Amino acid sequence: MKVSDLSTIELVGRLDQGTLLLDLHPFVARIRSDIPSLASDIAAMYADFEVPDPDRFADFHVEVSREHGLRRWIKPHARFYFDGRPSFIPLPVHQAFAMLEWGLNWCVAAHGHQYLIIHAAVIEKDGKAAILPAPPGSGKSTLCAGLIHCGWRLLSDELGLYDVESGLIFGMARPVNLKNTSLDVIKRFVPAAIMTEPVPDTTKGTVGLMRPPEASVQQRREPAQPTWIVLPRYTRDAAAMMQVHSPAQTFMLLADQSFNYDVHGEHGFKTVGRLIDQCSCHQFTYSRLEDADRAFQTLLAGDLA
Amino acid sequence: MEPGQDRVLPQQQLDRQNLLIVSLRIWSRTPLDQFLFKEWAEDDDVVAFSKRSGDTHLLSPLPLALLALLGKSPETSRSLLDKLTAELTQIEPDEAFELIETTLIQLQDIGLVTHSSP
């Protein structure tokens, strides 16, 4: 059964009872909420995801619910709960879905230590994965959102899960998080993209989420072979340029952008070293997604742009 | 002292003494078994992991050259400068000396080198 198979009443009812499970392979999340708009956003963004049986084991038990007391009625706020415990500061209730997404990201980053968890977009084509690690503001989510509509499969726009045993990388193919000007950029580039209503005034500015391509969701259990590490750098009006980058400097960035590099200690050092050895390292400067499409096609063909 | 005569202020004397002491420090490399290193043929930089602190560091060519020289024998900053003259031709000698001193202090903070006083 998929989320799209549930009626609105069923979906709202499962959320209210805490019996909605989402298969976010390799994890399962149980979600509770008393916020109807959250049900609508889940229905839109997770339409193609399987809904496991309510009795199944869940890795994460999360809740996004309205605050109690005056805050339930006056400038209503919502809060994220993990295992029944309030986590993070409450936010305006219209940010509920964004809060759920950020909360789920935290759950994975804080607990999924069987993987090296990289703050990166990951896309795949012909079995080969491009890892796009980058600090916020570098344009990786915009680049990812564009390329997954140019024939690349979405593994993740946020969390690359590197399996230290197999050397393969996984993703959950969850909704793509876009913000500010990237919302308009993607709307122009992919007019048919299904997106949530923009949510203003978040800590990240105006944010919106884009439904992942159905094919990416269907293939999300398939890992990919890391082949390229590409450091994206959006620069206004810049010509597209794919340049070879220092493996050592790429190592340092990757370690810095990994949520649990320090948790793994010495093993983390060897793991990142192994990942760098598997890949060619590049820095990609761009300003137009059309140029990015061509550049990544060239990368796939085995030549540098 | 009479008015008009050159005066060396006590702080200037102290600075010169400190500079002399610093320049006479004998630097040596610590055993490398507390570190893991990773290098690539196409890269002049190396990454190093300290097993003691858990920190990871990027080592560029100058610190690597200093480590290589100190791996052969303990040296002062001045003798290291003399041995690296060919690599530091683009920098004024005073700046090069200061750069070497600064780099050695950074390597000391990481735990890769230590010093003793003469």
Side-chain angles (χ1 to χ4, degrees):
Chain A
M1 176 185 288
K2 295 183 181 179
V3 170
S4 58
D5 295 323
L6 295 172
S7 68
T8 302
I9 293 176
E10 285 174 322
L11 187 55
V12 170
R14 289 198 184 204
L15 280 169
D16 193 59
Q17 294 161 22
T19 56
L20 178 71
L21 272 65
L22 280 182
D23 182 350
L24 307 176
H25 183 83
F27 306 104
V28 174
R30 179 184 295 273
I31 305 172
R32 178 190 292 272
S33 179
D34 61 357
I35 302 172
S37 64
L38 188 63
S40 302
D41 287 328
I42 290 175
M45 294 296 108
Y46 283 95
D48 300 317
F49 283 72
E50 285 89 14
V51 177
D53 188 271
D55 295 330
R56 181 176 162 177
F57 172 83
D59 298 277
F60 311 122
H61 293 230
V62 303
E63 177 179 348
V64 178
S65 293
R66 289 173 178 269
E67 284 283 79
H68 301 294
L70 283 175
R71 271 287 183 232
R72 188 174 184 85
W73 311 111
I74 300 173
K75 291 186 180 179
H77 276 48
R79 192 186 288 264
F80 181 87
Y81 295 79
F82 174 71
D83 276 354
R85 294 180 187 151
S87 308
F88 316 120
I89 59 172
L91 295 173
V93 72
H94 68 274
Q95 297 183 19
F97 186 65
M99 184 189 298
L100 175 65
E101 288 295 295
W102 296 333
L104 287 172
N105 288 345
W106 174 83
C107 289
V108 173
H111 301 91
H113 300 311
Q114 64 270 45
Y115 302 101
L116 178 71
I117 303 170
I118 309 168
H119 181 223
V122 185
I123 56 177
E124 173 269 331
K125 204 167 194 179
D126 296 344
K128 300 177 181 179
I131 302 170
L132 285 59
S138 56
K140 69 168 172 50
S141 292
T142 311
L143 182 61
C144 173
L147 290 173
I148 62 176
H149 289 93
C150 297
W152 291 79
R153 172 168 70 105
L154 169 70
L155 275 77
S156 181
D157 78 310
E158 191 78 19
L159 301 175
L161 309 176
Y162 181 63
D163 185 334
V164 298
E165 296 300 324
S166 68
L168 300 174
I169 194 159
F170 291 80
M172 293 171 280
R174 285 171 48 217
V176 178
N177 197 319
L178 300 167
K179 52 184 183 284
N180 303 317
T181 55
S182 67
L183 291 164
D184 291 328
V185 168
I186 295 302
K187 279 180 186 171
R188 286 196 298 271
F189 192 71
V190 192
I194 298 172
M195 300 175 72
T196 62
E197 285 296 314
V199 178
D201 303 324
T202 74
T203 54
K204 301 183 180 186
T206 299
V207 302
L209 286 118
M210 183 185 77
R211 182 197 275 188
E214 183 177 358
S216 296
V217 176
Q218 288 173 347
Q219 293 178 270
R220 71 190 185 283
R221 287 181 175 76
E222 298 172 24
Q225 179 68 45
T227 306
W228 310 281
I229 299 173
V230 181
L231 315 184
R233 188 171 66 180
Y234 172 80
T235 304
R236 188 187 178 98
D237 298 327
M241 194 182 315
M242 185 78 75
Q243 297 170 294
V244 173
H245 199 63
S246 154
Q249 293 184 23
T250 303
F251 183 112
M252 295 302 291
L253 181 97
L254 211 59
D256 185 58
Q257 292 297 314
S258 295
F259 290 98
N260 59 352
Y261 173 76
D262 291 331
V263 169
H264 288 279
E266 189 174 321
H267 190 54
F269 179 80
K270 293 176 181 176
T271 297
V272 174
R274 176 186 176 185
L275 179 55
I276 298 288
D277 287 343
Q278 288 179 262
C279 302
S280 59
C281 303
H282 308 271
Q283 180 164 291
F284 180 57
T285 304
Y286 80 104
S287 59
R288 288 166 18 101
L289 288 173
E290 293 82 357
D291 295 338
D293 180 24
R294 283 189 287 272
F296 274 74
Q297 289 298 332
T298 303
L299 196 64
L300 182 66
D303 300 303
L304 287 181
Chain B
M1 297 183 70
E2 295 295 328
Q5 287 185 340
D6 286 340
R7 300 181 183 197
V8 176
L9 298 175
Q11 184 59 42
Q12 288 178 342
Q13 270 183 323
L14 193 59
D15 289 344
R16 285 181 189 171
Q17 286 172 1
N18 285 340
L19 196 63
L20 181 62
I21 291 170
V22 164
S23 69
L24 293 178
R25 282 177 182 169
I26 300 171
W27 295 90
S28 56
R29 198 180 71 186
T30 60
L32 297 181
D33 57 354
Q34 285 301 304
F35 287 85
L36 298 176
F37 296 92
K38 180 73 176 168
E39 59 185 321
W40 294 267
E42 67 271 36
D43 204 336
D44 293 333
D45 293 338
V46 169
V47 292
F49 176 84
S50 168
K51 295 179 186 178
R52 188 184 63 179
S53 67
D55 292 335
T56 304
H57 306 278
L58 180 70
L59 301 177
S60 58
L62 177 59
L64 291 171
L66 293 172
L67 289 173
L69 288 171
L70 293 175
K72 295 175 184 174
S73 63
E75 303 279 355
T76 64
S77 304
R78 188 61 61 183
S79 63
L80 288 168
L81 176 62
D82 292 339
K83 291 182 179 180
L84 290 174
T85 302
E87 286 84 357
L88 297 169
T89 54
Q90 304 297 320
I91 310 175
E92 291 295 323
D94 286 347
E95 288 180 19
F97 180 78
E98 189 173 336
L99 179 62
I100 287 175
E101 276 286 312
T102 302
T103 305
L104 287 168
I105 291 170
Q106 290 171 344
L107 289 172
Q108 179 179 255
D109 289 343
I110 292 172
L112 279 163
V113 303
T114 185
H115 71 81
S116 59
S117 299

